Amino acid sequence: MTSRRDFFKAAALTGGAVAAASVSKVAMSALPEPVLQTSPDTMPPLVPNTGRPYNPVVTLNGWTLPWRMNQGVKEFHLVAEPVLREMAPGMTAHLWGYNGQSPGPTIEVVEGDRVRIFVTNKLPEHTSVHWHGQRLPNGMDGVTGLNQPGIPAGKTFVYEFEARRPGTFMYHPHADEMVQMAMGMMGFWVTHPKNKHPLISDVDRDYCFLLNAYDIDPGAYTPKIMTMLDFNLWTWNSRLFPGISPLVARKNDRVRLRVGNLTMTNHPIHIHGHEFEVTGTDGGPTPKAGRWPEVTVDIAVGQMRQMEFIASEEGDWAFHCHKSHHTMNAMGHDVPTMIGVDHRGMTKKITKLIPDYMVMGERGMADMSEMQMPLPDNTLPMMTGEGPFGSVEMGGMFSMLKVRKDQKPGDYSDPGWYKHPEGTIAYEFTGELAKPARSSGAGQPSMKLAQKQQPHIELKVRKPTGHAGH
Amino acid sequence: MNTAPAVQKTSIALAVLLLAGCATVNINESIEQTNQELNGFTKGQLSLVQTDAQRQAMAAKASDILKEPLSQPAAVELMLTHSPQFQTVLAESWAQAALAAQGGRIHNPVFAFERLRIRDELELGRLLSFGLLDLLSFPARQGIARTQIDRAQLQLTGNVVDQVTQVRQAWVDAVAAQQAHTYAQQVFESAQTSAELARRMQEVGNFTRLQRARQHSFYADAAVNLAATRHKATSSREALVRMLGLSSEQAAQLKLPERLPDLPEAPKAPSEVAKRGEDRLDVRMAKQGFEASVKSQGLGNIASFLDIEAGVRYDTDFENDTGERSNKKGYEIELALPIFDWGGMKRDAMNANTLAAANRLEATLRNAQSTLRESYSAYRTTYDIARHYRDEILPLKQTIADENLLRYNGMFIGVFELLADSRDQVNTVVQAINAQADFWRADAALQATVVGKPMTVSVSGAAANAGGNAGGGH
Ligand SMILES: [Cu+2]
């Protein structure tokens, strides 16, 4: 009885979570009430009030699934269903997910917990759940056809196993996998250590998110499920910058980042102003001797990485994937390069044919973030997000690490823009420019070309200044 | 002695009869009648220019009309009053009517004079003879002549309808061709811009020679298309100039409106065009033909049997020895004996002609409704297609253009795709113009068909996927 009340209490904690009224109470009488979440905001950590205690994680633009204790077993209820996901203000995608969201809620348990997960399928086709990285009975591994029949549409299956080792895991379907993952079905799983673990430190902030990618035509809402590599939306937890929450820390907090990659390419995740160590992978905690400081960690397809660092430097630090296309938002990959192309006389001609035409790309693409031009519906501009000094010229897999000395412990709210101490911002040099000395002999080839391919060309320097006429 | 006055009386009576029964032709009345018959079609603007003063007035009017861009009604007016070619039609019709009237007159009487000398006798023979049948059949022939004059009148009306319809269609052709040329110019400019931009792209190293060549080939193709449409604009304009009978100076003044008139709000209802039937030109012409056949058959029946010449004779004999002179008076009847030709073939031909005319009338009556239905179908189909272009296809293309611009704004597509798309859109506009021109041609044809001059127009269905693959850079 108490567990049920606790369950609702937990549900209330997640802020805006509601019990699904559409599921028949009778049919669900033996199941934990499914909890839905429709807000795209980052929810505060779900502090456990039943079961073993642990230090909860914060899911970036996501939430943790409440549970109920049933005779010592932690019971969760996942509902696989079509969802609407706001990917950033101004763009909503029609995805498939769990309990109202894509990705689904994070499941947090403690090493040694007996876990029972009810999975109700409200998709139009069968599904299954694979518990990526976990040690469990073979029949619970969730591969359709191999370990179990698919969960038919409208049915509920039960998975039950012990969370045997602590670490960072994922869950995703292993049925019509290409489609269901392209549609956004995935979620995070964290198993906290039961006791103090020599390789797992206590941290002040523990963030987790999944890397995912979508291909949604500008103006459309549903991802193209056949796309293999040419995705146009690179997201963290199905959110795009500037719609991704910042990661907030109090100065000198120990911060852990847990990142899983469920896209079809690797992502070099890069942090500014700090170095981190990879303290764990899908395989478990990394031995201390195998840790080294880095500012970028490449996360391969299907992998998890756990990084830790001390947030010792105050400021608003960029945190992003280092593949620059992944920080752009939707764009055309076949658009020709216009840099340096003389447009004199052309613009007038084109506007005669296409009255609202504007020249773009002649000086590069930064124009994009300066011009406010109408775009197709449900489309985010390529490089946006206003910072205190103008456009951040980023999109997609980009966020910020915001370190403040006065951020309260447990406070995850955005502290606003960093106020730079006097004299700590790059400034314009206004003095006289001296002519740089250049060595005439520098840069000779170490081996001579047997055959000259081209006559020597005087290099034409393209001045990055615009010219009149547009 | 008392026979002379009798002959005189007869002669006077004949002369009076001749004068009274004269069928005459007044071309101006005839034109007026055509104007009335075609009221709403020619707007009463028909007139035959005969005098210098009229000619000057017409020239002044023409130069007035040519000051403004020439609308379709103005083109009709200009042709009716100004075109020498059209005045030829009027004059020829006059000639035809006059000839017909001629057929309604009595042949001139023949006066024969003989001077014969036998020994000392001198005989002077005088014979005034005239075809008796000619005289007897006079009322009938007069009737026939009137029918033929009426027929010439109808013929004139028909010719006017023909010419007006032709000028209307020539006007539509010329305006549409000029409009198509304007748009071909836009396609050309788009291709030219692409080619120039591609040249500059290659120049700075952003494009390969292949990419540039592709853009340049659109430009090269567009140039051919532009030249062809330019000629078509010229040739259809010149066709109109000829219809209007403009001099070179006038042709230089001729300005065409930039675009075809908008489609009417709603098409004419079938009931609006179907109400006329009996008074259609073709039906009336067939009726006239039939009546003329019947009348000439009545006459022919007599004429085929007999050919009677009647004459009044007044001879004088002089006897030299006696110096006596004596007069002989009398009359003479000449009769062709129907021994070899009883006129049967002639009558057969008459019968056959009447039968043919009767059948022609029947066929015309039946065809009248059928051609009207066909013409209306062409009118309605072209209207629907043109409206479909206006309400469906062009807005769709506009949406595509708008969305493509948005995609360009978002850098999802490049400027070359945008320009290729603009070429696509323009090609659709050209198709829409063609559809509109088809409608106005069908409209002119329907107007002609309604008054009874059946015309068919081809319905092209426009689209014919033209321009669908003009795109580049996709
Ligand atoms: Cu990436």
Side-chain angles (χ1 to χ4, degrees):
Chain A
M1 280 308 284
T2 50
S3 64
R4 196 165 173 87
R5 200 181 320 118
D6 288 344
F7 168 77
F8 278 113
K9 214 164 123 194
L13 262 179
T14 60
V18 288
S22 59
V23 179
S24 152
K25 291 263 170 14
V26 181
M28 290 288 177
S29 58
L31 302 180
E33 202 93 36
V35 187
L36 304 185
Q37 176 59 266
T38 50
S39 164
D41 298 336
T42 302
M43 293 300 155
L46 180 61
V47 179
N49 51 7
T50 58
R52 294 187 179 99
Y54 61 85
N55 198 11
V57 299
V58 168
T59 307
L60 206 58
N61 294 104
W63 60 301
T64 290
L65 186 63
W67 67 86
R68 74 175 179 194
M69 294 302 292
N70 187 359
Q71 293 168 345
V73 180
K74 261 188 184 166
E75 286 187 341
F76 295 89
H77 191 173
L78 282 179
V79 180
E81 60 185 358
V83 300
L84 292 178
R85 172 65 164 176
E86 185 196 77
M87 301 192 89
M91 185 194 179
T92 299
H94 296 174
L95 303 178
W96 287 355
Y98 299 95
N99 301 49
Q101 287 279 310
S102 163
T106 299
I107 293 173
E108 286 181 83
V109 297
V110 179
E111 178 186 5
D113 273 354
R114 181 108 202 131
V115 182
R116 187 179 297 131
I117 308 129
F118 295 86
V119 178
T120 299
N121 182 9
K122 288 191 178 178
L123 298 173
E125 64 171 353
H126 70 215
T127 186
S128 73
V129 184
H130 163 62
W131 314 96
H132 185 116
Q134 308 256 17
R135 293 204 170 215
L136 34 63
N138 185 245
M140 293 290 162
D141 200 39
V143 179
T144 313
L146 179 64
N147 307 122
Q148 64 164 93
I151 307 169
K155 301 287 184 193
T156 301
F157 272 40
V158 183
Y159 292 89
E160 190 169 336
F161 54 90
E162 186 194 323
R164 282 167 63 181
R165 65 177 179 88
T168 305
F169 307 98
M170 309 185 273
Y171 64 89
H172 62 78
H174 229 294
D176 195 11
E177 204 176 328
M178 178 195 82
V179 169
Q180 296 188 7
M181 286 182 49
M183 289 295 285
M185 299 199 68
M186 52 191 73
F188 225 94
W189 178 299
V190 174
T191 304
H192 295 280
K194 192 199 288 186
N195 305 308
K196 237 177 152 30
H197 191 292
L199 295 176
I200 302 172
S201 12
D202 289 331
V203 294
D204 303 296
R205 314 242 172 188
D206 198 339
Y207 286 101
C208 66
F209 57 93
L210 283 168
L211 308 175
N212 34 22
Y214 298 96
D215 184 12
I216 303 179
D217 274 340
Y221 292 79
T222 310
K224 286 155 80 175
I225 52 171
M226 296 306 189
T227 302
M228 185 175 173
L229 292 171
D230 201 11
F231 295 92
N232 60 13
L233 299 169
W234 300 95
T235 57
W236 288 354
N237 279 352
S238 306
R239 289 281 286 187
L240 294 148
F241 183 74
I244 301 178
S245 299
L247 293 84
V248 179
R250 179 186 174 88
K251 190 178 177 185
N252 294 325
D253 269 356
R254 184 167 194 91
V255 180
R256 178 156 49 220
L257 307 172
R258 303 171 192 250
V259 184
N261 180 3
L262 284 178
T263 72
M264 297 205 215
T265 186
N266 63 311
H267 300 273
I269 299 295
H270 174 61
I271 198 154
H272 291 209
H274 297 80
E275 318 82 49
F276 52 60
E277 283 182 350
V278 175
T279 56
T281 71
D282 335 37
T286 323
K288 287 244 159 99
R291 299 181 183 181
W292 63 81
E294 282 193 303
V295 296
T296 306
V297 62
D298 194 24
I299 306 173
V301 179
Q303 284 187 335
M304 314 281 319
R305 287 293 177 270
Q306 255 176 237
M307 296 88 84
E308 283 172 33
F309 62 97
I310 305 292
S312 53
E313 305 301 320
E314 274 199 287
D316 294 335
W317 302 104
F319 175 52
H320 59 95
C321 172
H322 218 285
K323 284 187 170 174
S324 53
H325 272 229
H326 297 178
T327 56
M328 293 292 284
N329 289 346
M331 60 185 275
H333 297 283
D334 294 326
V335 173
T337 303
M338 304 303 289
I339 295 173
V341 179
D342 182 1
H343 274 72
R344 266 171 297 185
M346 304 306 288
T347 317
K348 219 175 153 190
K349 268 191 171 176
I350 299 176
T351 43
K352 211 175 133 195
L353 301 159
I354 307 158
D356 294 331
Y357 170 82
M358 278 177 98
V359 176
M360 278 190 296
E362 188 189 13
R363 303 175 298 168
M365 284 205 186
D367 282 356
M368 271 305 294
S369 54
E370 290 169 14
M371 295 179 185
Q372 286 296 313
M373 284 189 294
L375 297 178
D377 290 344
N378 199 41
T379 304
L380 298 172
M382 211 155 62
M383 313 184 298
T384 44
E386 282 296 305
F389 302 102
S391 170
V392 181
E393 299 183 352
M394 288 275 157
M397 292 178 161
F398 182 91
S399 185
M400 287 154 288
L401 170 67
K402 293 191 164 218
V403 184
R404 299 288 188 277
K405 65 172 178 289
D406 49 1
Q407 191 82 7
K408 299 265 180 315
D411 181 5
Y412 289 84
S413 60
D414 186 340
W417 299 119
Y418 179 59
K419 287 176 189 65
H420 301 264
E422 186 110 12
T424 63
I425 306 175
Y427 58 96
E428 185 187 357
F429 175 71
T430 51
E432 195 88 353
L433 272 179
K435 209 173 177 175
R438 288 203 173 94
S439 158
S440 56
Q444 292 295 318
S446 54
M447 278 188 249
K448 280 227 162 88
L449 280 175
Q451 224 180 330
K452 265 211 168 150
Q453 288 180 313
Q454 282 187 22
H456 182 69
I457 299 168
E458 196 68 43
L459 187 69
K460 260 202 252 170
V461 178
R462 289 175 192 152
K463 299 221 168 77
T465 50
H467 46 65
H470 59 84
Chain B
M1 279 304 275
N2 53 356
T3 47
V7 172
Q8 264 171 348
K9 263 180 216 159
T10 316
S11 307
I12 291 162
L14 269 173
V16 167
L17 194 65
L18 286 175
L19 289 172
C22 231
T24 54
V25 177
N26 181 337
I27 183 62
N28 288 325
E29 268 172 28
S30 161
I31 285 172
E32 196 39 52
Q33 194 179 333
T34 296
N35 265 335
Q36 266 167 23
E37 270 173 9
L38 294 179
N39 194 24
F41 197 82
T42 59
K43 314 266 186 247
Q45 289 150 342
L46 205 58
S47 70
L48 181 65
V49 181
Q50 284 166 288
T51 66
D52 268 349
Q54 277 176 321
R55 212 161 278 130
Q56 273 160 21
M58 282 312 159
K61 196 173 184 189
S63 73
D64 258 9
I65 291 177
L66 286 171
K67 273 181 196 140
E68 295 291 312
L70 189 74
S71 67
Q72 198 185 38
V76 172
E77 189 184 355
L78 195 56
M79 181 200 68
L80 291 179
T81 56
H82 179 266
S83 162
Q85 187 187 319
F86 185 70
Q87 293 294 321
T88 309
V89 171
L90 291 188
E92 276 172 2
S93 167
W94 188 11
Q96 206 179 348
L99 280 178
Q102 182 64 42
R105 302 203 171 191
I106 291 181
H107 291 119
N108 287 330
V110 176
F111 177 72
F113 180 79
E114 297 174 318
R115 190 174 188 276
L116 298 170
R117 182 176 283 280
I118 313 163
R119 287 186 306 262
D120 50 356
E121 248 180 74
L122 175 71
E123 191 178 323
L124 294 179
R126 303 176 197 88
L127 176 70
L128 183 69
S129 72
F130 45 86
L132 188 59
L133 196 66
D134 208 27
L135 197 61
L136 289 174
S137 69
F138 176 67
R141 283 193 298 112
Q142 212 178 19
I144 291 168
R146 204 157 292 288
T147 312
Q148 277 175 346
I149 293 167
D150 284 355
R151 202 176 190 187
Q153 167 72 40
L154 284 174
Q155 200 95 51
L156 171 66
T157 306
N159 286 341
V160 170
V161 171
D162 221 14
Q163 295 281 311
V164 167
T165 304
Q166 276 185 47
V167 79
R168 278 181 179 153
Q169 293 188 338
W171 181 88
V172 170
D173 288 348
V175 175
Q178 176 192 267
Q179 237 182 313
H181 175 237
T182 307
Y183 282 103
Q185 182 74 39
Q186 279 194 17
V187 171
F188 177 76
E189 275 169 29
S190 167
Q192 192 182 36
T193 310
S194 296
E196 173 58 17
L197 208 51
R199 189 188 64 77
R200 296 185 191 180
M201 295 278 281
Q202 195 202 357
E203 205 172 46
V204 296
N206 297 7
F207 250 16
T208 63
R209 194 194 302 217
L210 174 63
Q211 286 170 307
R212 181 196 162 180
R214 285 213 176 106
Q215 296 301 327
H216 205 93
S217 76
F218 296 132
Y219 174 43
D221 291 348
V224 172
N225 189 38
L226 179 62
T229 54
R230 182 184 294 134
H231 172 68
K232 194 166 178 217
T234 304
S235 70
S236 49
R237 181 192 166 93
E238 290 305 330
L240 178 64
V241 163
R242 289 194 293 276
M243 283 296 306
L244 298 174
L246 302 184
S247 67
S248 295
E249 294 78 50
Q250 288 172 320
Q253 280 173 37
L254 173 66
K255 286 187 292 289
L256 291 173
E258 273 174 25
R259 41 203 301 272
L260 290 168
D262 289 336
L263 288 181
E265 290 269 303
K268 290 175 189 142
S271 55
E272 250 179 280
V273 297
K275 61 189 174 206
R276 305 186 58 166
E278 286 296 302
D279 59 341
R280 277 173 55 130
L281 205 50
D282 50 354
V283 175
R284 281 165 56 204
M285 281 179 91
K287 262 188 195 158
Q288 290 279 9
F290 175 67
E291 278 163 21
S293 254
V294 170
K295 279 182 185 158
S296 60
Q297 187 172 18
L299 175 67
N301 279 344
I302 313 163
S304 64
F305 284 114
L306 299 163
D307 192 2
I308 314 165
E309 287 280 308
V312 185
R313 189 164 272 287
Y314 183 72
D315 292 349
T316 311
D317 289 347
F318 296 93
E319 287 194 38
N320 281 350
D321 12 344
T322 57
E324 201 176 313
R325 84 188 242 179
S326 61
N327 289 334
K328 288 188 268 182
K329 285 179 275 190
Y331 60 87
E332 204 177 289
I333 301 270
E334 193 185 298
L335 195 62
L337 296 176
I339 295 173
F340 304 111
D341 177 11
W342 284 83
M345 288 300 141
K346 233 178 183 174
R347 279 193 300 282
D348 281 356
M350 293 285 180
N351 283 334
N353 276 336
T354 305
L355 191 61
N359 279 318
R360 195 173 300 123
L361 174 60
E362 186 58 33
T364 307
L365 276 167
R366 292 181 196 180
N367 289 352
Q369 291 309 317
S370 166
T371 52
L372 198 57
R373 284 193 295 270
E374 186 193 347
S375 194
Y376 183 75
S377 167
Y379 167 85
R380 193 50 206 262
T381 306
T382 52
Y383 180 86
D384 289 345
I385 291 174
R387 190 173 56 184
H388 185 70
Y389 263 96
R390 187 192 65 189
D391 296 347
E392 296 288 332
I393 298 177
L394 287 180
L396 276 176
K397 291 287 174 174
Q398 188 57 48
T399 302
I400 292 172
D402 291 348
E403 287 298 316
N404 264 323
L405 184 65
L406 295 181
R407 289 169 67 85
Y408 168 79
N409 286 348
M411 282 207 181
F412 303 112
I413 58 169
V415 63
F416 291 96
E417 271 176 280
L418 198 60
L419 286 168
D421 181 63
S422 85
R423 293 197 288 274
D424 266 8
Q425 313 314 331
V426 169
N427 279 319
T428 307
V429 172
V430 171
Q431 288 162 31
I433 294 168
N434 290 341
Q436 215 181 340
D438 276 354
F439 166 73
W440 285 115
R441 276 189 284 266
D443 177 67
L446 179 64
Q447 288 184 49
T449 308
V450 166
V451 295
K453 192 81 187 159
M455 303 244 173
T456 50
V457 285
S458 59
V459 178
S460 61
N465 81 350
N469 43 18
H474 293 297

